[in-house]
Amino acid sequence: MTMKRSALALSLALLAAPVCAQTLLTRHFSADPSPHFFQGKYYVYATDDQNNSGEKWDSTSWRLLVSSDLKKWEDKGPFLPATVFKWAAAGANAWAPEALEYKGKYYFFAPVNQTQIGLAVSDKPDGPFVDALGKPLVDKARDANAGAEPIDPAVFVDKDGRIYMYFGTRVPKVVELAQDLGGTVGPIRDVAVSGFPPKSKPYGEAPFLHRHKGQYYFSFSTGWPGQIVYATGSSPLGPFSYKGVLIDYLKISTNHHAILEQAGKTLLFYHDNVLPGGGSHKRSILMQEIRYDADGNMLRQ
Ligand code: FUB
């Protein structure tokens, strides 16, 4: 596909943009960002759209981007193949990942083949990672209420130390994780969200949970295409009340974001179609600083 001059100008502007504007992290296609601050550096774990067929999300490895200052990003390329999980089907797709620093180790939550979520572990944020369990952490064929697609894991550690993993399409799911991360604890539950305005689609995918000033924010995509919307509540398990739109519809089929609060800043990471040759299967990761108003509403501008 030939790049239009306006798209080229946008891409170049994005690459040179300061932190408070939109920043493009890499010129390699990547999507579904999971941003973290580990050992004094920023790490973004991602779906590797650079190496998919362009027709499907069929890449088989995850991609890693690293920065010291949020301005210059090193693209470490595909850093972990889905074959790290011996139980995964041959050629299993590697989709939207998550990471967690926990008790001196680095954990990588990895949806494979839209049916299972694996857990890998490493002593360092950039690996090498090994399978932590020798079996899936969540398995559609094994676990009750795992939903249509156990994908898009997002992990939240609450102030009482309990660990929750959100995931799923069409119906948002949450399950508590064991304190040694050796498995799940209790049932997989549905997450209740109410108060959608009449024109909004319901929950689609890409759940994310964070806490700000004592309030829990549950944000997610409303589907294909979808908006990133957010809802708030007083417990990490919900119920949540719809509050508003964080990212409007994009001109591609998916919308997927994550929020990192670090050094007094709230950073929104997401993907869009901004590079030449881009599209629904060739996405690019962007970052933008956002803020809250006095009532705790999330503001993008
Ligand atoms: O990248 C594959 C899938 O597209 C993700 O799992 C979804 O969240 C959507 O972004």
Side-chain angles (χ1 to χ4, degrees):
M1 192 186 295
T2 319
M3 185 190 192
K4 289 197 183 124
R5 211 170 271 177
S6 57
L8 175 62
L10 172 65
S11 304
L12 294 175
L14 287 169
L15 275 176
V19 167
C20 53
Q22 291 177 331
T23 302
L24 175 66
L25 273 52
T26 170
R27 297 192 68 84
H28 289 117
F29 293 115
S30 48
D32 307 327
S34 172
H36 298 272
F37 187 73
F38 293 150
Q39 295 185 348
K41 283 188 186 172
Y42 296 89
Y43 290 81
V44 174
Y45 301 84
T47 300
D48 181 20
D49 277 11
Q50 184 67 28
N51 291 304
N52 69 26
S53 61
E55 315 268 309
K56 295 178 180 171
W57 299 297
D58 53 7
S59 59
T60 54
S61 297
W62 291 276
R63 201 167 190 95
L64 178 59
L65 315 172
V66 184
S67 175
S68 299
D69 57 8
L70 294 175
K71 294 175 189 153
K72 280 172 59 181
W73 288 86
E74 182 188 355
D75 187 335
K76 290 185 171 277
F79 80 106
L80 182 67
T83 52
V84 70
F85 302 113
K86 300 282 178 258
W87 43 261
N93 296 338
W95 281 17
E98 168 67 303
L100 175 71
E101 180 180 15
Y102 189 68
K103 295 185 178 171
K105 300 247 182 224
Y106 296 88
Y107 290 87
F108 187 73
F109 299 79
V112 292
N113 252 10
Q114 296 105 270
T115 51
Q116 294 153 315
I117 297 174
L119 180 62
V121 63
S122 173
D123 291 331
K124 293 188 289 168
D126 53 356
F129 283 88
V130 297
D131 188 353
L133 305 176
K135 61 182 180 182
L137 177 63
V138 170
D139 190 335
K140 179 177 172 175
R142 182 192 68 197
D143 301 328
N145 200 32
E149 281 181 300
I151 62 166
D152 296 355
V155 174
F156 173 76
V157 182
D158 203 5
K159 54 186 190 306
D160 62 3
R162 293 171 85 169
I163 312 162
Y164 300 99
M165 183 173 75
Y166 303 80
F167 63 94
T169 56
R170 301 188 190 277
V171 177
K173 306 288 180 181
V174 61
V175 68
E176 188 172 347
L177 302 182
Q179 287 293 304
D180 63 358
L181 289 182
T184 58
V185 178
I188 296 172
R189 309 177 210 201
D190 296 351
V191 180
V193 184
S194 62
F196 286 90
K199 283 192 177 162
S200 178
K201 295 181 179 182
Y203 174 89
E205 62 177 356
F208 190 84
L209 197 284
H210 76 287
R211 194 161 60 92
H212 181 79
K213 294 195 172 162
Q215 184 160 234
Y216 296 90
Y217 289 73
F218 185 58
S219 47
F220 51 87
S221 166
T222 58
W224 312 270
Q227 297 170 310
I228 298 296
V229 303
Y230 75 99
T232 58
S234 57
S235 159
L237 295 171
F240 297 99
S241 303
Y242 182 99
K243 285 287 172 198
V245 175
L246 202 50
I247 305 177
D248 209 347
Y249 293 105
L250 306 174
K251 292 192 173 105
I252 52 175
S253 63
T254 66
N255 209 335
H256 189 124
H257 75 302
I259 293 156
L260 176 64
E261 301 214 320
Q262 176 63 29
K265 292 182 175 178
T266 303
L267 302 168
L268 173 68
F269 291 77
Y270 58 102
H271 66 223
D272 200 351
N273 174 18
V274 296
L275 285 173
S280 284
H281 298 97
K282 294 287 183 186
R283 302 161 290 180
S284 297
I285 294 179
L286 299 156
M287 179 200 70
Q288 179 184 358
E289 189 175 345
I290 60 170
R291 59 195 174 85
Y292 301 83
D293 70 12
D295 296 324
N297 299 308
M298 300 185 81
L299 306 173
R300 237 189 117 189
Q301 303 303 329

